[in-house]
Amino acid sequence: MSDRRKFTSQFKADAVALVLSSGRPVAQVAPEIGVVEGTLGNWVRTWKEEHPEAGKDEPGPVEWAKYKALQLELAELKRENEFLGKVSAFFAAKQQ
């Protein structure tokens, strides 16, 4: 059995946003949120590598996480809409 904890992408994004917006070091923020310093450091490093152009005017990690979640939701809704269109066409053809 593994004692390894799993963190949601939203939690990771919030933790990275806290580090970036507060200007405090990872070593200070990590114990406050109950995460190992190395883990939080990896999250911050990964986010910075994925968003090298990010500046103060750019969306932060929380906004990117929300954006990704909305993209997934939109794709799911498009699939459902396509399916419902096919089902309604099928039943319309059966009624004739």
Side-chain angles (χ1 to χ4, degrees):
M1 288 191 235
S2 176
D3 291 338
R4 191 172 189 172
R5 295 183 351 195
K6 297 278 185 178
F7 297 99
T8 65
S9 59
Q10 184 64 46
F11 179 83
K12 292 176 185 180
D14 288 340
V16 171
L18 180 60
V19 171
L20 296 177
S21 66
S22 69
R24 296 184 298 161
V26 170
Q28 186 180 9
V29 175
E32 292 177 8
I33 61 173
V35 177
V36 176
E37 181 181 336
T39 301
L40 181 56
N42 287 338
W43 297 344
V44 171
R45 180 181 40 78
T46 300
W47 190 86
K48 285 182 178 180
E49 287 172 357
E50 290 174 356
H51 306 90
E53 73 289 343
K56 292 190 179 218
D57 295 336
E58 295 291 322
V62 173
E63 288 81 13
W64 281 109
K66 288 178 183 177
Y67 174 73
K68 294 286 188 187
L70 288 172
Q71 281 184 322
L72 293 173
E73 183 180 357
L74 177 62
E76 177 65 23
L77 290 173
K78 283 182 177 180
R79 283 191 297 275
E80 288 177 8
N81 194 20
E82 183 180 332
F83 173 75
L84 291 173
K86 289 178 182 178
V87 169
S88 65
F90 173 78
F91 284 115
K94 276 225 166 211
Q95 296 233 342
Q96 292 179 352

Coordinates of all heavy atoms in Angstrom, one line a residue:
M1 N 0.8 -1.2 0.0 CA 0.0 0.0 0.0 C 0.9 1.2 0.0 O 1.9 1.3 0.7 CB -0.9 0.0 1.2 CG -2.0 -1.0 1.1 SD -3.2 -0.8 2.4 CE -3.2 -2.4 3.1
S2 N 0.4 2.2 -0.7 CA 1.2 3.4 -0.8 C 0.7 4.5 0.1 O -0.5 4.7 0.2 CB 1.1 3.9 -2.3 OG 1.8 5.1 -2.4
D3 N 1.6 5.2 0.7 CA 1.3 6.4 1.6 C 1.3 7.7 0.8 O 1.2 8.7 1.3 CB 2.3 6.5 2.7 CG 2.1 5.3 3.7 OD1 1.0 4.7 3.7 OD2 3.0 5.0 4.5
R4 N 1.5 7.5 -0.5 CA 1.6 8.7 -1.4 C 0.3 9.4 -1.6 O -0.7 8.8 -1.8 CB 2.1 8.2 -2.8 CG 2.5 9.3 -3.7 CD 3.1 8.7 -4.9 NE 3.7 9.8 -5.6 CZ 4.5 9.6 -6.7 NH1 4.8 8.5 -7.1 NH2 4.9 10.7 -7.3
R5 N 0.3 10.7 -1.4 CA -0.9 11.5 -1.5 C -1.1 11.9 -2.9 O -0.2 12.2 -3.6 CB -0.9 12.7 -0.5 CG -0.9 12.3 0.9 CD -0.9 13.4 1.9 NE -0.7 14.7 1.4 CZ -0.4 15.8 2.1 NH1 -0.2 15.7 3.4 NH2 -0.3 17.0 1.5
K6 N -2.4 12.1 -3.3 CA -2.7 12.6 -4.6 C -3.3 14.0 -4.4 O -4.1 14.2 -3.5 CB -3.8 11.7 -5.3 CG -3.4 10.3 -5.5 CD -2.6 10.2 -6.8 CE -2.2 8.8 -7.1 NZ -1.5 8.6 -8.3
F7 N -2.9 14.9 -5.3 CA -3.4 16.3 -5.2 C -4.1 16.6 -6.5 O -3.7 16.2 -7.6 CB -2.2 17.2 -5.1 CG -1.5 17.1 -3.8 CD1 -0.3 16.4 -3.7 CD2 -2.0 17.6 -2.6 CE1 0.4 16.2 -2.5 CE2 -1.3 17.5 -1.4 CZ -0.2 16.8 -1.3
T8 N -5.2 17.3 -6.4 CA -6.0 17.7 -7.6 C -5.2 18.7 -8.4 O -4.4 19.5 -7.8 CB -7.4 18.2 -7.3 OG1 -7.2 19.4 -6.5 CG2 -8.2 17.2 -6.5
S9 N -5.5 18.9 -9.7 CA -4.9 19.9 -10.4 C -5.2 21.3 -9.9 O -4.4 22.2 -10.0 CB -5.2 19.8 -11.9 OG -6.6 19.8 -12.1
Q10 N -6.4 21.4 -9.4 CA -6.9 22.7 -8.8 C -6.0 23.1 -7.6 O -5.6 24.2 -7.4 CB -8.3 22.7 -8.5 CG -8.9 24.0 -8.0 CD -8.8 25.1 -9.1 OE1 -9.1 24.9 -10.2 NE2 -8.3 26.3 -8.7
F11 N -5.8 22.1 -6.8 CA -5.0 22.3 -5.6 C -3.5 22.7 -6.0 O -3.0 23.7 -5.4 CB -4.9 21.1 -4.7 CG -4.0 21.2 -3.5 CD1 -4.6 21.8 -2.3 CD2 -2.7 20.8 -3.4 CE1 -3.8 22.0 -1.2 CE2 -1.9 21.0 -2.3 CZ -2.5 21.6 -1.2
K12 N -3.0 22.0 -7.0 CA -1.6 22.3 -7.4 C -1.6 23.8 -8.0 O -0.7 24.5 -7.7 CB -1.2 21.3 -8.5 CG -1.0 20.0 -8.0 CD -0.6 19.0 -9.1 CE -0.5 17.6 -8.7 NZ -0.2 16.7 -9.8
A13 N -2.6 24.1 -8.8 CA -2.7 25.4 -9.4 C -2.8 26.5 -8.3 O -2.1 27.6 -8.4 CB -3.8 25.5 -10.4
D14 N -3.6 26.3 -7.3 CA -3.7 27.2 -6.2 C -2.4 27.4 -5.4 O -2.0 28.5 -5.0 CB -4.8 26.8 -5.2 CG -6.2 26.9 -5.8 OD1 -6.4 27.7 -6.8 OD2 -7.1 26.3 -5.3
A15 N -1.7 26.3 -5.2 CA -0.4 26.3 -4.5 C 0.6 27.1 -5.3 O 1.3 27.9 -4.7 CB 0.1 24.9 -4.2
V16 N 0.7 26.9 -6.6 CA 1.6 27.6 -7.4 C 1.3 29.1 -7.4 O 2.1 29.9 -7.3 CB 1.6 27.0 -8.9 CG1 2.4 27.9 -9.8 CG2 2.2 25.6 -8.8
A17 N 0.0 29.4 -7.5 CA -0.5 30.8 -7.5 C -0.1 31.4 -6.2 O 0.3 32.6 -6.2 CB -2.0 30.8 -7.8
L18 N -0.2 30.7 -5.1 CA 0.2 31.3 -3.8 C 1.6 31.7 -3.8 O 2.0 32.7 -3.3 CB -0.2 30.3 -2.7 CG 0.1 30.7 -1.3 CD1 -0.6 32.0 -0.9 CD2 -0.2 29.6 -0.3
V19 N 2.5 30.8 -4.3 CA 3.9 31.0 -4.3 C 4.2 32.2 -5.2 O 5.0 33.1 -4.8 CB 4.7 29.8 -4.8 CG1 6.2 30.1 -5.0 CG2 4.6 28.6 -3.8
L20 N 3.6 32.2 -6.4 CA 4.0 33.3 -7.4 C 3.4 34.6 -6.9 O 4.1 35.7 -7.1 CB 3.4 32.9 -8.7 CG 4.1 31.7 -9.4 CD1 3.4 31.4 -10.7 CD2 5.5 31.8 -9.6
S21 N 2.2 34.6 -6.4 CA 1.6 35.9 -6.1 C 2.1 36.5 -4.8 O 2.2 37.7 -4.6 CB 0.1 35.8 -6.0 OG -0.3 34.9 -4.9
S22 N 2.5 35.7 -3.9 CA 3.0 36.2 -2.6 C 4.4 36.6 -2.6 O 4.9 37.4 -1.8 CB 2.8 35.1 -1.5 OG 3.7 34.0 -1.7
G23 N 5.2 36.0 -3.6 CA 6.6 36.4 -3.7 C 7.4 35.7 -2.6 O 8.6 35.9 -2.4
R24 N 6.8 34.8 -1.8 CA 7.5 34.1 -0.7 C 8.2 32.9 -1.3 O 7.7 32.3 -2.3 CB 6.5 33.7 0.4 CG 5.9 34.9 1.1 CD 5.0 34.5 2.2 NE 3.9 33.7 1.8 CZ 3.2 33.0 2.5 NH1 3.4 32.8 3.8 NH2 2.1 32.3 2.0
P25 N 9.2 32.4 -0.7 CA 9.9 31.2 -1.2 C 9.1 29.9 -1.0 O 8.2 29.9 -0.1 CB 11.2 31.2 -0.3 CG 10.9 32.0 0.9 CD 9.9 33.0 0.5
V26 N 9.3 29.0 -1.8 CA 8.7 27.7 -1.7 C 8.8 27.1 -0.3 O 7.9 26.5 0.2 CB 9.2 26.7 -2.8 CG1 8.7 25.3 -2.6 CG2 8.8 27.2 -4.2
A27 N 10.0 27.2 0.2 CA 10.3 26.6 1.6 C 9.4 27.2 2.6 O 9.1 26.5 3.6 CB 11.8 26.9 1.9
Q28 N 8.9 28.4 2.5 CA 8.0 29.0 3.5 C 6.6 28.6 3.2 O 5.8 28.4 4.2 CB 8.2 30.5 3.4 CG 7.4 31.3 4.5 CD 7.6 32.8 4.4 OE1 8.2 33.3 3.4 NE2 7.1 33.5 5.4
V29 N 6.2 28.5 2.0 CA 4.8 28.2 1.6 C 4.5 26.7 1.8 O 3.4 26.4 2.3 CB 4.5 28.7 0.2 CG1 3.1 28.3 -0.2 CG2 4.7 30.2 0.0
A30 N 5.4 25.9 1.5 CA 5.1 24.4 1.5 C 4.6 23.9 2.9 O 3.5 23.2 2.9 CB 6.4 23.6 1.1
P31 N 5.2 24.2 4.0 CA 4.7 23.7 5.3 C 3.3 24.3 5.6 O 2.5 23.6 6.2 CB 5.7 24.2 6.3 CG 6.8 24.7 5.6 CD 6.5 24.9 4.2
E32 N 3.0 25.5 5.2 CA 1.7 26.1 5.4 C 0.6 25.4 4.8 O -0.5 25.3 5.3 CB 1.7 27.6 5.0 CG 2.7 28.5 5.8 CD 2.7 29.9 5.2 OE1 1.9 30.2 4.3 OE2 3.5 30.7 5.7
I33 N 0.8 24.8 3.6 CA -0.2 24.1 2.9 C -0.1 22.6 3.0 O -0.9 21.9 2.5 CB -0.3 24.5 1.4 CG1 1.0 24.2 0.7 CG2 -0.6 26.0 1.3 CD1 1.0 24.4 -0.8
G34 N 0.9 22.1 3.8 CA 1.0 20.7 4.0 C 1.6 19.9 2.9 O 1.2 18.8 2.7
V35 N 2.5 20.5 2.2 CA 3.1 19.8 1.0 C 4.6 19.8 1.3 O 5.2 20.7 1.8 CB 2.8 20.5 -0.3 CG1 3.5 19.9 -1.5 CG2 1.3 20.6 -0.5
V36 N 5.2 18.8 0.8 CA 6.7 18.7 0.9 C 7.3 19.8 0.0 O 6.8 20.0 -1.1 CB 7.2 17.3 0.4 CG1 8.7 17.2 0.4 CG2 6.6 16.2 1.3
E37 N 8.4 20.4 0.5 CA 9.0 21.5 -0.2 C 9.4 21.1 -1.7 O 9.2 21.9 -2.6 CB 10.2 21.9 0.5 CG 11.0 23.1 -0.1 CD 12.2 23.5 0.7 OE1 12.2 23.2 2.0 OE2 13.1 24.1 0.1
G38 N 10.0 19.9 -1.8 CA 10.4 19.5 -3.2 C 9.2 19.3 -4.1 O 9.3 19.7 -5.3
T39 N 8.1 18.8 -3.6 CA 6.9 18.7 -4.5 C 6.4 20.0 -4.9 O 6.1 20.2 -6.1 CB 5.8 17.9 -3.7 OG1 6.3 16.7 -3.2 CG2 4.6 17.7 -4.5
L40 N 6.3 20.9 -4.0 CA 5.8 22.3 -4.4 C 6.8 22.9 -5.4 O 6.4 23.6 -6.3 CB 5.6 23.1 -3.2 CG 5.0 24.5 -3.4 CD1 3.7 24.5 -4.2 CD2 4.9 25.3 -2.1
G41 N 8.0 22.8 -5.1 CA 9.1 23.3 -6.0 C 8.9 22.7 -7.4 O 9.1 23.5 -8.4
N42 N 8.7 21.5 -7.5 CA 8.5 20.8 -8.8 C 7.2 21.4 -9.5 O 7.3 21.6 -10.7 CB 8.3 19.3 -8.7 CG 9.6 18.6 -8.3 OD1 10.7 19.1 -8.5 ND2 9.5 17.4 -7.7
W43 N 6.2 21.6 -8.8 CA 5.0 22.2 -9.4 C 5.2 23.6 -9.9 O 4.8 23.9 -11.1 CB 3.8 22.2 -8.4 CG 3.3 20.9 -7.9 CD1 3.6 19.7 -8.4 CD2 2.5 20.7 -6.7 NE1 3.0 18.7 -7.7 CE2 2.3 19.3 -6.6 CE3 2.0 21.6 -5.8 CZ2 1.6 18.8 -5.6 CZ3 1.2 21.0 -4.8 CH2 1.0 19.6 -4.7
V44 N 5.9 24.4 -9.2 CA 6.2 25.8 -9.6 C 7.2 25.7 -10.8 O 6.9 26.4 -11.8 CB 6.9 26.6 -8.4 CG1 7.4 27.9 -8.9 CG2 5.9 26.8 -7.3
R45 N 8.2 24.9 -10.7 CA 9.1 24.8 -11.9 C 8.4 24.3 -13.1 O 8.6 24.9 -14.2 CB 10.3 23.8 -11.5 CG 11.3 23.7 -12.7 CD 12.4 22.7 -12.3 NE 12.0 21.5 -11.6 CZ 11.4 20.4 -12.2 NH1 11.2 20.4 -13.5 NH2 11.1 19.4 -11.5
T46 N 7.6 23.3 -13.0 CA 6.8 22.8 -14.2 C 5.9 23.9 -14.8 O 5.9 24.1 -16.0 CB 6.0 21.6 -13.8 OG1 6.8 20.6 -13.2 CG2 5.2 21.0 -14.9
W47 N 5.2 24.6 -13.9 CA 4.4 25.7 -14.4 C 5.2 26.8 -15.1 O 4.8 27.2 -16.2 CB 3.6 26.3 -13.2 CG 2.5 27.2 -13.8 CD1 1.3 26.9 -14.2 CD2 2.6 28.6 -14.0 NE1 0.6 28.0 -14.6 CE2 1.4 29.1 -14.6 CE3 3.6 29.6 -13.8 CZ2 1.2 30.4 -14.9 CZ3 3.4 30.9 -14.2 CH2 2.2 31.3 -14.7
K48 N 6.3 27.1 -14.6 CA 7.1 28.2 -15.2 C 7.7 27.7 -16.5 O 7.8 28.5 -17.5 CB 8.3 28.6 -14.3 CG 7.8 29.4 -13.1 CD 9.0 29.9 -12.2 CE 8.5 30.8 -11.1 NZ 9.6 31.2 -10.2
E49 N 8.0 26.4 -16.6 CA 8.5 25.8 -17.9 C 7.4 25.8 -18.9 O 7.7 26.0 -20.1 CB 9.1 24.4 -17.7 CG 10.4 24.4 -17.0 CD 10.8 23.0 -16.6 OE1 10.1 22.0 -16.9 OE2 11.9 22.8 -16.0
E50 N 6.2 25.5 -18.5 CA 5.1 25.5 -19.4 C 4.6 26.9 -19.9 O 3.9 27.0 -20.9 CB 3.9 24.7 -18.8 CG 4.2 23.2 -18.7 CD 3.1 22.5 -17.9 OE1 2.1 23.2 -17.4 OE2 3.2 21.3 -17.8
H51 N 4.9 27.9 -19.1 CA 4.4 29.2 -19.3 C 5.6 30.2 -19.2 O 5.6 31.1 -18.4 CB 3.3 29.6 -18.3 CG 2.2 28.7 -18.3 ND1 2.2 27.6 -17.5 CD2 1.1 28.6 -19.0 CE1 1.0 26.9 -17.7 NE2 0.4 27.5 -18.6
P52 N 6.6 30.1 -20.1 CA 7.7 30.9 -20.0 C 7.4 32.4 -20.3 O 8.1 33.3 -19.8 CB 8.7 30.4 -21.1 CG 7.8 29.7 -22.0 CD 6.7 29.1 -21.2
E53 N 6.4 32.6 -21.1 CA 6.0 34.0 -21.4 C 5.2 34.7 -20.3 O 4.8 35.8 -20.5 CB 5.2 34.0 -22.7 CG 3.8 33.4 -22.6 CD 3.7 31.9 -22.4 OE1 4.6 31.2 -22.6 OE2 2.6 31.5 -22.0
A54 N 4.8 33.9 -19.3 CA 3.9 34.5 -18.3 C 4.6 35.6 -17.5 O 5.7 35.5 -17.0 CB 3.5 33.4 -17.3
G55 N 3.9 36.7 -17.5 CA 4.4 37.9 -16.7 C 3.3 38.3 -15.8 O 2.3 37.5 -15.5
K56 N 3.3 39.5 -15.3 CA 2.3 39.9 -14.4 C 1.0 40.1 -15.1 O -0.1 40.0 -14.5 CB 2.7 41.2 -13.8 CG 3.9 41.1 -12.9 CD 4.2 42.3 -12.1 CE 5.4 42.0 -11.2 NZ 5.3 42.6 -9.9
D57 N 1.0 40.4 -16.4 CA -0.3 40.6 -17.1 C -0.9 39.3 -17.7 O -2.0 39.2 -18.2 CB -0.1 41.5 -18.3 CG 0.3 42.9 -17.8 OD1 0.0 43.2 -16.6 OD2 0.9 43.7 -18.6
E58 N -0.1 38.2 -17.6 CA -0.5 36.9 -18.1 C -1.4 36.2 -17.1 O -1.3 36.4 -15.9 CB 0.7 36.0 -18.4 CG 1.5 36.6 -19.5 CD 0.8 36.5 -20.9 OE1 0.1 35.5 -21.1 OE2 1.0 37.4 -21.6
P59 N -2.3 35.3 -17.5 CA -3.1 34.5 -16.6 C -2.2 33.6 -15.7 O -1.2 33.1 -16.2 CB -4.0 33.7 -17.5 CG -3.6 34.0 -18.9 CD -2.6 35.0 -18.9
G60 N -2.6 33.5 -14.5 CA -1.8 32.6 -13.6 C -2.2 31.2 -13.7 O -3.0 30.8 -14.5
P61 N -1.6 30.4 -12.8 CA -1.9 28.9 -12.9 C -3.3 28.6 -12.6 O -3.8 27.6 -13.1 CB -0.9 28.3 -11.8 CG -0.6 29.5 -10.9 CD -0.6 30.7 -11.8
V62 N -4.0 29.3 -11.7 CA -5.4 29.0 -11.4 C -6.2 29.3 -12.7 O -7.1 28.4 -13.0 CB -5.9 29.9 -10.2 CG1 -7.3 29.7 -10.0 CG2 -5.1 29.6 -9.0
E63 N -6.0 30.3 -13.4 CA -6.7 30.6 -14.6 C -6.5 29.5 -15.6 O -7.4 29.1 -16.3 CB -6.4 32.0 -15.1 CG -6.9 33.1 -14.3 CD -6.1 33.5 -13.1 OE1 -5.0 33.0 -13.0 OE2 -6.6 34.2 -12.3
W64 N -5.2 29.1 -15.8 CA -4.9 28.0 -16.7 C -5.6 26.7 -16.3 O -6.1 26.0 -17.2 CB -3.4 27.8 -16.8 CG -2.7 28.8 -17.7 CD1 -1.9 29.8 -17.2 CD2 -2.8 29.0 -19.1 NE1 -1.5 30.6 -18.3 CE2 -2.0 30.1 -19.4 CE3 -3.5 28.3 -20.1 CZ2 -1.9 30.5 -20.8 CZ3 -3.3 28.7 -21.4 CH2 -2.6 29.8 -21.7
A65 N -5.7 26.4 -15.1 CA -6.3 25.2 -14.6 C -7.8 25.3 -14.9 O -8.4 24.3 -15.4 CB -6.1 24.9 -13.1
K66 N -8.4 26.4 -14.7 CA -9.8 26.6 -15.0 C -10.1 26.5 -16.5 O -11.1 25.9 -17.0 CB -10.3 28.0 -14.5 CG -10.5 28.0 -13.0 CD -10.9 29.4 -12.5 CE -10.9 29.5 -11.0 NZ -11.3 30.8 -10.5
Y67 N -9.2 27.1 -17.3 CA -9.3 27.1 -18.7 C -9.2 25.6 -19.2 O -10.0 25.2 -20.1 CB -8.1 27.9 -19.3 CG -8.0 27.8 -20.8 CD1 -9.0 28.5 -21.6 CD2 -7.0 27.1 -21.5 CE1 -8.9 28.4 -23.0 CE2 -6.9 27.0 -22.8 CZ -7.9 27.7 -23.6 OH -7.8 27.6 -25.0
K68 N -8.3 24.8 -18.7 CA -8.2 23.4 -19.1 C -9.5 22.7 -18.7 O -10.0 21.9 -19.5 CB -7.0 22.8 -18.5 CG -5.7 23.3 -18.9 CD -5.3 22.8 -20.3 CE -3.9 23.2 -20.6 NZ -3.5 23.0 -22.0
A69 N -10.0 22.9 -17.6 CA -11.2 22.2 -17.1 C -12.4 22.6 -18.0 O -13.2 21.8 -18.4 CB -11.5 22.6 -15.7
L70 N -12.5 23.9 -18.4 CA -13.5 24.3 -19.3 C -13.4 23.7 -20.7 O -14.4 23.4 -21.3 CB -13.6 25.9 -19.4 CG -14.1 26.6 -18.1 CD1 -13.9 28.1 -18.3 CD2 -15.5 26.2 -17.9
Q71 N -12.2 23.6 -21.2 CA -12.0 22.9 -22.4 C -12.5 21.5 -22.4 O -13.1 21.0 -23.4 CB -10.5 22.9 -22.8 CG -10.0 24.2 -23.4 CD -8.5 24.1 -23.8 OE1 -7.7 23.4 -23.1 NE2 -8.2 24.7 -24.9
L72 N -12.2 20.7 -21.3 CA -12.6 19.4 -21.2 C -14.2 19.3 -21.1 O -14.8 18.4 -21.8 CB -12.0 18.7 -20.0 CG -10.5 18.5 -20.0 CD1 -10.0 18.0 -18.6 CD2 -10.2 17.5 -21.1
E73 N -14.8 20.2 -20.4 CA -16.2 20.3 -20.3 C -16.9 20.6 -21.6 O -17.9 20.0 -22.0 CB -16.6 21.3 -19.3 CG -18.1 21.4 -19.0 CD -18.6 22.4 -18.0 OE1 -17.7 23.1 -17.4 OE2 -19.8 22.5 -17.8
L74 N -16.3 21.5 -22.4 CA -16.8 21.9 -23.7 C -16.7 20.7 -24.6 O -17.7 20.4 -25.4 CB -16.0 23.0 -24.3 CG -16.4 23.5 -25.7 CD1 -17.9 24.0 -25.7 CD2 -15.5 24.6 -26.2
A75 N -15.6 19.9 -24.6 CA -15.5 18.8 -25.5 C -16.6 17.7 -25.1 O -17.2 17.1 -26.0 CB -14.1 18.2 -25.4
E76 N -16.8 17.5 -23.9 CA -17.8 16.6 -23.4 C -19.2 17.0 -23.9 O -20.0 16.2 -24.4 CB -17.8 16.4 -21.9 CG -18.8 15.5 -21.3 CD -18.7 14.0 -21.8 OE1 -17.6 13.6 -22.1 OE2 -19.7 13.3 -21.7
L77 N -19.5 18.3 -23.7 CA -20.8 18.8 -24.1 C -21.0 18.7 -25.6 O -22.1 18.4 -26.1 CB -21.0 20.2 -23.6 CG -21.2 20.4 -22.1 CD1 -21.1 21.8 -21.8 CD2 -22.4 19.7 -21.6
K78 N -20.0 18.9 -26.4 CA -20.1 18.8 -27.9 C -20.4 17.3 -28.2 O -21.2 17.0 -29.1 CB -18.8 19.2 -28.5 CG -18.6 20.7 -28.6 CD -17.4 21.1 -29.3 CE -17.3 22.6 -29.5 NZ -16.0 23.0 -30.2
R79 N -19.7 16.4 -27.6 CA -20.0 14.9 -27.8 C -21.4 14.6 -27.5 O -22.1 13.9 -28.2 CB -19.0 14.0 -27.0 CG -17.6 14.0 -27.6 CD -16.8 12.9 -27.0 NE -16.6 13.1 -25.5 CZ -15.6 13.8 -25.0 NH1 -14.7 14.4 -25.8 NH2 -15.4 14.0 -23.7
E80 N -21.9 15.1 -26.3 CA -23.3 14.8 -25.9 C -24.3 15.4 -26.9 O -25.3 14.8 -27.3 CB -23.5 15.4 -24.5 CG -22.9 14.6 -23.4 CD -23.1 15.2 -22.1 OE1 -23.9 16.2 -22.0 OE2 -22.4 14.8 -21.1
N81 N -24.0 16.6 -27.4 CA -24.9 17.3 -28.3 C -24.9 16.5 -29.7 O -26.0 16.4 -30.2 CB -24.4 18.7 -28.5 CG -25.4 19.6 -29.2 OD1 -26.6 19.3 -29.2 ND2 -25.0 20.7 -29.8
E82 N -23.8 16.1 -30.1 CA -23.7 15.3 -31.4 C -24.5 14.0 -31.2 O -25.3 13.6 -32.1 CB -22.3 15.0 -31.7 CG -22.1 14.2 -33.0 CD -20.6 14.0 -33.3 OE1 -19.7 14.7 -32.8 OE2 -20.3 13.0 -33.9
F83 N -24.4 13.3 -30.1 CA -25.1 12.1 -29.8 C -26.6 12.3 -29.8 O -27.4 11.6 -30.4 CB -24.6 11.5 -28.5 CG -25.4 10.3 -28.1 CD1 -25.3 9.1 -28.7 CD2 -26.4 10.4 -27.1 CE1 -26.0 8.0 -28.3 CE2 -27.1 9.3 -26.7 CZ -27.0 8.1 -27.3
L84 N -27.0 13.4 -29.1 CA -28.4 13.7 -29.0 C -29.0 14.0 -30.4 O -30.2 13.7 -30.7 CB -28.7 14.8 -28.0 CG -28.4 14.5 -26.6 CD1 -28.6 15.7 -25.7 CD2 -29.4 13.4 -26.1
G85 N -28.2 14.7 -31.2 CA -28.7 15.0 -32.6 C -28.9 13.7 -33.4 O -29.9 13.6 -34.1
K86 N -28.0 12.7 -33.2 CA -28.1 11.5 -33.9 C -29.3 10.7 -33.4 O -30.1 10.1 -34.2 CB -26.8 10.6 -33.8 CG -25.7 11.2 -34.5 CD -24.4 10.4 -34.3 CE -23.2 11.0 -35.0 NZ -22.0 10.2 -34.8
V87 N -29.5 10.7 -32.1 CA -30.6 10.0 -31.5 C -32.0 10.6 -32.0 O -32.9 9.8 -32.3 CB -30.5 10.0 -30.0 CG1 -31.8 9.5 -29.4 CG2 -29.4 9.1 -29.5
S88 N -32.1 11.9 -32.0 CA -33.3 12.5 -32.4 C -33.6 12.3 -33.9 O -34.7 12.0 -34.3 CB -33.3 14.0 -32.1 OG -32.3 14.7 -32.8
A89 N -32.5 12.2 -34.7 CA -32.7 11.9 -36.1 C -33.2 10.5 -36.3 O -34.0 10.2 -37.1 CB -31.4 12.2 -36.9
F90 N -32.6 9.6 -35.5 CA -33.0 8.2 -35.6 C -34.5 8.0 -35.2 O -35.3 7.4 -36.0 CB -32.2 7.4 -34.6 CG -32.6 5.9 -34.5 CD1 -32.3 5.0 -35.5 CD2 -33.3 5.5 -33.4 CE1 -32.7 3.7 -35.3 CE2 -33.7 4.2 -33.3 CZ -33.4 3.3 -34.3
F91 N -35.0 8.6 -34.1 CA -36.3 8.5 -33.7 C -37.3 9.2 -34.7 O -38.4 8.8 -34.9 CB -36.6 9.0 -32.3 CG -36.1 7.9 -31.3 CD1 -35.0 8.2 -30.5 CD2 -36.7 6.7 -31.2 CE1 -34.5 7.3 -29.6 CE2 -36.2 5.8 -30.3 CZ -35.2 6.0 -29.5
A92 N -36.8 10.3 -35.3 CA -37.7 11.1 -36.2 C -37.9 10.2 -37.5 O -39.0 10.2 -38.1 CB -37.0 12.4 -36.6
A93 N -36.8 9.5 -37.9 CA -36.9 8.6 -39.1 C -37.8 7.4 -38.8 O -38.6 6.9 -39.6 CB -35.5 8.1 -39.5
K94 N -37.8 6.9 -37.5 CA -38.7 5.8 -37.2 C -40.2 6.2 -37.2 O -41.0 5.3 -37.4 CB -38.3 5.3 -35.8 CG -37.1 4.4 -35.8 CD -37.5 3.2 -34.9 CE -36.5 2.1 -35.2 NZ -37.0 0.8 -35.0
Q95 N -40.5 7.4 -36.8 CA -41.9 7.9 -36.7 C -42.5 8.0 -38.1 O -43.7 8.1 -38.2 CB -41.9 9.1 -35.9 CG -41.5 9.0 -34.5 CD -42.5 9.5 -33.5 OE1 -43.4 10.2 -33.9 NE2 -42.4 9.1 -32.3
Q96 N -41.7 8.1 -39.1 CA -42.3 8.4 -40.5 C -42.6 7.1 -41.2 O -42.4 6.1 -41.1 CB -41.3 9.2 -41.3 CG -41.1 10.5 -40.8 CD -40.1 11.3 -41.7 OE1 -39.4 10.8 -42.5 NE2 -40.0 12.6 -41.4

